[in-house]
Amino acid sequence: MASVDQTQLFEFLCRMGDNTLVLGHRVSEWCGHAPVLEEDIALANTALDLIGQTQMWLGYAGDVEGKGRTADDLAMLRDVWDFRNVLLVEQPNGDFGQTMMRQFLFDAWHLAMLKALTASSNEQIAAIAAKSVKEVQYHVERSGDTVIGLGDGTSESHKRMQDALNLLWPYVGEMFVADAVDDAMAQAGIAPDLASLRAEFDAHVGGVLAEATLTIPDGKFTHKGGKSGFQHSEHLGHLLTQMQWLQRAYPGATW
Amino acid sequence: MKPAAEEIWDWLDAVPDPEIPVISVVDLGIVRDVEWDGDTLEVAVTPTYSGCPATSVISMDIETALYDRGIQNVRIKTQISPPWTTDWLSDKGRARLEEYGIAPPRAAGGPERCPRCKSTNVTRISQFGSTPCKAQWRCTDCLEPFDYFKCI
Ligand SMILES: [Zn+2]
């Protein structure tokens, strides 16, 4: 473990923390707008869990970096090109069905990833994963149930869920494509080989989508460039202007 | 003279959970350890849910309670491993939750009975509730909705 490059470890931790931060913020955009009260509460609680997990990932990222940056500094004072989340989580909410499809596709990957990370050679990462996985089990149970309910619902809800799946499926691949950072983490026993998570994901997602009477689109094209920071979609910048506005306008403001 | 750990545990058992004030932070199982480090008392606290907004209030309440007892230097240590589990809720805490109208957690994944009329005919409304630790259920006999402290 001592041999792992700290810059690469920092990158990896930013990927984990930026995924939960950006998705947490996206989901929080529903607060007060969801179709029914129970869903509003569920979305807000999911967002809260994700933001809480972000504090652990980015807090540790700041420690590893060793420049005195806190989780808040990393969340609120970095620009688009420094974010390392996958493109899936920054996609706009769309309608409720699209939000829940995005949630389910991420949750299914997130659960498999966190389960693997509980066995990380890095104790701190194993501890964060063990804490988070309990929360994510509830997330995926709900998002999966909702995808089934709406997919196998009315002709209108079915059509919207199929449209959402067609739109979002090309973003799934990025979660499983390993680069130099992922390879270094896998070699050090810090994180799993991402490709090894695919079978569990496919079985889980395939089962839910079949029950939801939805069809996985053909085609192997995958949007990439989010987790490497090479090229985010235009949506992330708009999200950050909202999320970071207060700290940018009033640096260091606290409650 | 420094108060003994047992006495400090008793004091902390008088600190209410800010969101469910009928149970104490000790009942909730989030105080993991109390230890003197020289003149500083170190209290290890584990969060219930990682984003629970009550966590910082709980730390402040613990510090205030100990300060009121004359302990000048308190250090709260956040401990995330092993992760908090509802198995750590005390029996006293479970009984108080039910009296208060919140069904206590069960490994079976749902409440045993309605905390009001004690009927076992209950149905889930939503896995998420008014705080991260609760789900919403309903009694199909008295028809009242109620909170269930979910198992984690
Ligand atoms: Zn009842």
Side-chain angles (χ1 to χ4, degrees):
Chain A
M1 209 189 90
S3 64
V4 76
D5 182 286
Q6 295 295 292
T7 312
Q8 288 185 316
L9 179 58
F10 173 75
E11 281 283 309
F12 173 76
L13 294 167
C14 285
R15 291 175 181 189
M16 293 305 296
D18 288 345
N19 280 339
T20 51
L21 173 63
V22 171
L23 186 59
H25 184 83
R26 272 283 181 243
V27 175
S28 78
E29 291 171 359
W30 275 100
C31 194
H33 300 278
V36 292
L37 183 61
E38 284 76 12
E39 292 305 330
D40 205 289
I41 289 169
L43 286 162
N45 272 302
T46 302
L48 193 62
D49 287 342
L50 292 169
I51 302 291
Q53 293 166 17
T54 304
Q55 284 181 324
M56 297 191 284
W57 290 120
L58 294 186
Y60 184 39
D63 292 344
V64 166
E65 188 192 37
K67 293 181 185 169
R69 290 203 282 183
T70 64
D72 283 342
D73 293 335
L74 290 169
M76 297 301 166
L77 302 176
R78 280 179 304 155
D79 262 311
V80 170
W81 47 83
D82 289 327
F83 272 74
R84 295 292 181 265
N85 57 281
V86 291
L87 297 173
L88 174 67
V89 296
E90 71 196 42
Q91 298 311 302
N93 286 339
D95 60 19
F96 178 69
Q98 189 178 317
T99 288
M100 294 311 298
M101 182 61 78
R102 184 188 61 199
Q103 189 70 37
F104 174 63
L105 296 174
F106 180 75
D107 287 345
W109 173 82
H110 202 199
L111 179 66
M113 181 67 168
L114 291 172
K115 277 170 33 187
L117 288 176
T118 59
S120 175
S121 62
N122 178 307
E123 271 181 30
Q124 182 70 11
I125 289 175
I128 297 172
K131 180 82 199 148
S132 305
V133 75
K134 293 180 159 210
E135 297 164 357
V136 170
Q137 267 155 355
Y138 276 104
H139 298 173
V140 74
E141 186 186 316
R142 168 173 169 275
S143 61
D145 284 354
T146 311
V147 164
I148 292 168
L150 293 173
D152 188 20
T154 66
S155 59
E156 175 68 18
S157 71
H158 174 83
K159 179 187 172 298
R160 290 200 192 199
M161 293 311 278
Q162 186 64 53
D163 288 348
L165 181 59
N166 295 346
L167 178 73
L168 297 172
W169 189 257
Y171 292 94
V172 165
E174 190 186 10
M175 298 188 285
F176 298 96
V177 180
D179 62 8
V181 171
D182 297 309
D183 290 342
M185 294 306 117
Q187 269 165 25
I190 290 174
D193 168 14
L194 289 177
S196 72
L197 305 176
R198 189 73 205 232
E200 182 184 341
F201 177 90
D202 283 340
H204 181 182
V205 169
V208 167
L209 293 178
E211 205 179 327
T213 70
L214 298 170
T215 310
I216 295 175
D218 292 334
K220 298 270 174 247
F221 176 73
T222 292
H223 294 287
K224 278 180 294 208
K227 74 174 189 180
S228 66
F230 173 68
Q231 193 170 48
H232 282 282
S233 62
E234 65 177 296
H235 308 296
L236 182 61
H238 293 273
L239 180 150
L240 295 186
T241 58
Q242 281 251 325
M243 187 179 83
Q244 298 181 333
W245 178 83
L246 193 111
Q247 282 302 324
R248 299 287 192 176
Y250 303 97
T254 55
W255 289 106
Chain B
M1 206 191 85
K2 289 188 287 197
E6 299 91 83
E7 193 170 13
I8 293 164
W9 278 102
D10 285 345
W11 294 343
L12 293 177
D13 198 23
V15 177
D17 172 75
E19 281 175 344
I20 311 170
V22 290
I23 59 172
S24 77
V25 295
V26 173
D27 287 327
L28 194 56
I30 58 172
V31 179
R32 302 311 304 158
D33 200 14
V34 169
E35 203 178 3
W36 284 103
D37 173 18
D39 286 336
T40 300
L41 183 69
E42 189 172 84
V43 182
V45 174
T46 192
T48 51
Y49 283 75
S50 55
C52 184
T55 307
S56 59
V57 178
I58 288 170
S59 297
M60 209 171 66
D61 289 350
I62 289 174
E63 282 179 280
T64 308
L66 294 174
Y67 190 79
D68 287 347
R69 296 284 187 169
I71 300 176
Q72 302 285 331
N73 302 312
V74 177
R75 185 166 61 230
I76 306 281
K77 188 177 85 175
T78 303
Q79 183 175 305
I80 61 166
S81 181
W84 180 76
T85 159
T86 36
D87 294 347
W88 293 343
L89 271 171
S90 70
D91 289 341
K92 167 166 75 83
R94 284 167 199 269
R96 291 216 177 141
L97 280 177
E98 193 176 18
E99 281 167 36
Y100 188 60
I102 300 172
R106 281 201 323 152
E112 183 195 356
R113 58 187 185 181
C114 166
R116 289 185 184 78
C117 75
K118 314 298 179 204
S119 161
T120 54
N121 298 317
V122 293
T123 176
R124 190 174 88 186
I125 301 173
S126 173
Q127 196 62 280
F128 292 83
S130 55
T131 64
C133 56
K134 287 178 283 177
Q136 299 174 71
W137 283 66
R138 181 192 291 123
C139 173
T140 52
D141 280 329
C142 74
L143 304 179
E144 289 290 335
F146 62 90
D147 278 334
Y148 164 62
F149 204 105
K150 56 187 188 205
C151 205
I152 181 174

